[in-house]
Amino acid sequence: CNNVVQEYLIQNSGVPYELLGMLGLFGTLISIVQISILERDDLHALFSNSNDNDGNVDAAEGVGGVCPTSDKIWLIVVYVFCVGSVYLGGAYFLLYSEAALYNLSLLTSDVWTVIFSVVAERI
């Protein structure tokens, strides 16, 4: 249903920028509320220095790791860029095609992965 609504909005407006802007705005607001309520401890553990003397992290202490803060921020930026690219690509796909074809292509991606593994990698 979500892709059908996106297709309707994109094909009636002709430009996916408004849809992407509203998706980004409300997605950001919802994510901030979600992180502040559900994932506050994990976010604190990610950016806190919870290393022991050897530079290793105890598994019970969380996801802090020995990775520098700048690397952690770059990983988050790269993740956001990749997710944004998926939404931008999906919006442009829906501008020229239909939601049914988009959903079918998402559903058959696992089949293409298996075919590639069997044929190209001879597994």
Side-chain angles (χ1 to χ4, degrees):
C1 178
N2 186 22
N3 292 334
V4 175
V5 173
Q6 285 180 356
E7 176 190 3
Y8 175 77
L9 292 174
I10 289 173
Q11 289 186 352
N12 283 341
S13 69
V15 180
Y17 300 126
E18 184 177 358
L19 173 74
L20 291 172
M22 290 294 119
L23 188 65
L25 174 70
F26 290 111
T28 301
L29 295 175
I30 291 170
S31 294
I32 288 172
V33 170
Q34 178 185 356
I35 261 187
S36 65
I37 293 172
L38 300 175
E39 300 177 9
R40 179 181 307 155
D41 296 334
D42 293 331
L43 190 64
H44 183 271
L46 178 67
F47 288 106
S48 69
N49 294 326
S50 59
N51 301 336
D52 55 340
N53 295 336
D54 298 335
N56 298 326
V57 175
D58 187 14
E61 290 182 4
V63 293
V66 294
C67 185
T69 303
S70 61
D71 289 349
K72 293 174 189 177
I73 291 173
W74 273 110
L75 289 172
I76 292 172
V77 167
V78 168
Y79 172 77
V80 168
F81 176 76
C82 291
V83 170
S85 298
V86 167
Y87 280 110
L88 183 64
Y92 276 108
F93 185 89
L94 291 174
L95 183 62
Y96 298 110
S97 187
E98 297 178 347
L101 184 61
Y102 183 71
N103 289 330
L104 284 174
S105 68
L106 291 177
L107 289 172
T108 58
S109 63
D110 294 333
V111 174
W112 291 113
T113 303
V114 170
I115 291 172
F116 174 78
S117 296
V118 169
V119 173
E121 297 183 8
R122 292 173 175 66
I123 294 177

